[in-house]
Amino acid sequence: MFDIQHIRNQFPILDQSVNGKPLVYLDNAATSQKPLAVLNAWQKYYTEINANVHRGIHTLSQLATEEMELSRRKIQKFINAEHDFEVIFTRGTTEGINLLAYSLTAWLKKDDEIIISYLEHHSNIVPWQMLCERTGAKLKVIPIDSDGILQIDFVEKNLSEKTRLISVNHVSNALGVVNPVEEIIALARKNSDALIVIDGAQAAPHFKIDVQQLDCDFYVFSGHKMYAPMGTGILYGKEKILRELPPFHGGGEMIATCSFDKTTYADLPFKFEAGTPNVGGNIALGAAADFIESIGHQHLQNHENALLEYAQQKLLELDGLRIYGEKATRTGVVSFNLEGIGIASDVGMILNKIGIAVRTGHHCTQPIMAFFEIAGTVRASFAVYNTFEEIDILVEGVRKAQRMLS
Ligand code: C6P
């Protein structure tokens, strides 16, 4: 049974007023709120366990290690990875992609090609541009149409022996468009030996991820968008490739032996986890996966899809409102502008005055904004605890903003 009030009760932060109005939190693509189970797991670690992992023989250190490794196995199950050591704790999606872009330096040479898409967050553009600068490789960009749908025949036409890497997001943060990553992966497997990276920052909170079924080489996501604390994230990689890849950061935790003559690296996953990890956060990330699974992916998805459909239908009743990516398959996000109102943040400020939190601006996706020839959009993004009443409040707020600004 899906009981929205039971779910909302687990998020005490939602029960407050902002600017004298009940908070309507619709900025979940930026970060989600955290349920009690996650807060308690984090607090329990700091009140009862706090110790460093993988190094102490004392009881607390062993407990901390056990709890963090248990969390790794929970994430392994959450994304259906074959092995727990294919799950690497990071600080978030940005760090995961930077790790790859650095560690894959020797995988590319001058004039090799990296394919990304027009729909990428800056985190899935800039690290690859930096890699191109280091190696002389070139970026190729899958175009979109006016609905924000990827034109994947571009992939078929542009794949060659030069294509060494493809990195695309599973869901666009700016538009909520769900990209056909399965098709892109199938095309790539047929026509190249390119490595495939999927940025799952906006997918992991919304639907079941199965990395074995996807057959991607790497899958990255952030904890804080899927109900876990900030500063947590996951890089999944296939065992064979992770074994061949050099480490990103050097330091403690990631060595097998260290001398002034030669250092050898630790086994997976520790080779990629230099330094003291965010133990409390990583444990709480496992609790966030449990939280999602306790609701059930299908229930969560059904509710969020219904919210999205309702929001879209209600918003489109307003004159001169344009939703970007309206015709595309989407999840979790509705991104829009009002005709004649050039500055999205003006709408955001009026909404904030009545307790509604949305994000406005370019959403760290300036190429998408350039494509639509706009400076930004108003973005409402949903989580499992949002309600249809909140959508009504949003729509009324947008109507009010339209009246005030036009
Ligand atoms: N998008 C948003 O408001 P980090 O900051 O490392 O947790 O995630 C970066 C990132 C990478 N890829 C995608 C698709 C993303 O959506 C994000 C973060 C937030 O849309 C903050 S800019």
Side-chain angles (χ1 to χ4, degrees):
M1 276 297 286
F2 183 83
D3 179 349
I4 187 73
Q5 197 50 52
H6 174 69
I7 289 172
R8 285 183 74 81
N9 290 344
Q10 297 175 59
F11 291 84
I13 198 170
L14 296 176
D15 189 19
Q16 64 173 298
S17 295
V18 168
N19 296 323
K21 302 279 181 194
L23 169 65
V24 174
Y25 187 78
L26 296 173
D27 194 18
N28 296 286
T31 197
S32 67
Q33 301 303 345
K34 323 301 174 203
L36 287 170
V38 167
L39 300 175
N40 291 342
W42 189 85
Q43 194 184 10
K44 179 171 186 266
Y45 168 74
Y46 278 110
T47 49
E48 295 176 25
I49 303 177
N50 183 44
N52 216 324
V53 285
H54 303 134
R55 30 196 128 199
I57 57 142
H58 64 81
T59 301
L60 290 188
S61 174
Q62 286 181 6
L63 259 179
T65 304
E66 272 166 30
E67 290 283 322
M68 195 174 97
E69 292 310 312
L70 173 65
S71 175
R72 197 189 302 277
R73 291 194 296 280
K74 287 180 182 177
I75 300 298
Q76 175 198 358
K77 182 169 148 266
F78 186 71
I79 60 172
N80 193 30
E82 191 176 354
H83 305 289
D84 58 357
F85 53 74
E86 294 173 320
V87 173
I88 293 158
F89 287 119
T90 65
R91 287 188 299 137
T93 309
T94 305
E95 187 178 68
I97 297 175
N98 276 278
L99 184 162
L100 290 174
Y102 179 85
S103 295
L104 286 167
T105 303
W107 176 249
L108 287 115
K109 59 179 188 320
K110 191 168 179 309
D111 295 329
D112 280 347
E113 291 171 357
I114 299 174
I115 295 181
I116 60 170
S117 91
Y118 233 94
L119 288 184
E120 302 313 318
H121 185 278
H122 297 162
S123 296
N124 202 22
I125 301 174
V126 184
W128 305 122
Q129 285 175 325
M130 291 159 75
L131 176 58
C132 287
E133 274 168 27
R134 285 198 298 279
T135 59
K138 296 193 173 78
L139 269 192
K140 290 201 141 187
V141 184
I142 309 171
I144 48 175
D145 69 10
S146 57
D147 279 309
I149 297 172
L150 289 186
Q151 303 299 285
I152 61 164
D153 54 332
F154 176 94
V155 180
E156 196 156 18
K157 286 192 196 121
N158 282 273
L159 276 171
S160 73
E161 72 286 351
K162 286 187 182 169
T163 317
R164 299 291 279 162
L165 203 120
I166 300 177
S167 188
V168 289
N169 65 43
H170 206 159
V171 176
S172 147
N173 67 310
L175 310 180
V177 174
V178 182
N179 291 313
V181 291
E182 296 83 356
E183 280 176 70
I184 294 173
I185 294 169
L187 277 175
R189 293 289 181 232
K190 208 162 69 181
N191 299 318
S192 75
D193 64 355
L195 291 176
I196 298 160
V197 182
I198 304 294
D199 169 355
Q202 301 291 347
H206 299 298
F207 50 78
K208 174 71 189 161
I209 306 301
D210 184 333
V211 290
Q212 292 190 73
Q213 197 182 341
L214 273 177
D215 190 30
C216 53
D217 297 302
F218 302 103
Y219 198 98
V220 287
F221 55 100
S222 302
H224 70 96
K225 297 181 196 294
M226 51 164 277
Y227 311 107
M230 291 191 175
T232 63
I234 295 295
L235 160 66
Y236 155 82
K238 276 188 182 162
E239 174 185 2
K240 184 173 172 303
I241 305 166
L242 286 179
R243 288 206 184 285
E244 287 168 17
L245 220 58
F248 175 37
H249 289 146
E253 275 286 275
M254 54 75 74
I255 60 106
T257 62
C258 176
S259 75
F260 290 118
D261 296 330
K262 186 174 168 55
T263 289
T264 57
Y265 303 132
D267 209 347
L268 294 175
F270 310 114
K271 182 170 88 171
F272 293 103
E273 293 182 354
T276 298
N278 180 358
V279 183
N282 293 344
I283 292 170
L285 177 55
D290 285 345
F291 167 76
I292 291 177
E293 283 170 351
S294 74
I295 294 169
H297 272 101
Q298 202 52 54
H299 282 135
L300 180 142
Q301 217 178 318
N302 291 347
H303 178 65
E304 291 182 348
N305 286 348
L307 287 174
L308 178 59
E309 209 172 297
Y310 183 69
Q312 171 143 325
Q313 182 203 324
K314 287 281 167 191
L315 284 167
L316 285 173
E317 286 172 9
L318 303 182
D319 281 343
L321 186 141
R322 173 173 181 192
I323 292 177
Y324 299 91
E326 186 193 326
K327 303 231 157 47
T329 305
R330 303 204 318 284
T331 189
V333 166
V334 58
S335 205
F336 59 92
N337 274 324
L338 292 164
E339 203 175 47
I341 297 166
I343 306 176
S345 59
D346 288 349
V347 179
M349 271 187 294
I350 293 172
L351 294 178
N352 181 51
K353 285 251 183 312
I354 48 176
I356 304 168
V358 293
R359 184 169 173 186
T360 59
H362 58 63
H363 317 298
C364 301
T365 57
Q366 288 189 358
I368 303 180
M369 302 301 134
F371 175 84
F372 287 113
E373 298 179 341
I374 51 177
T377 72
V378 182
R379 184 188 70 180
S381 52
F382 310 116
V384 70
Y385 42 69
N386 288 125
T387 65
F388 294 93
E389 293 73 39
E390 289 181 313
I391 308 276
D392 289 337
I393 296 170
L394 168 73
V395 175
E396 262 327 293
V398 176
R399 201 188 302 275
K400 182 175 175 191
Q402 191 170 37
R403 269 200 313 272
M404 288 171 71
L405 295 169
S406 54

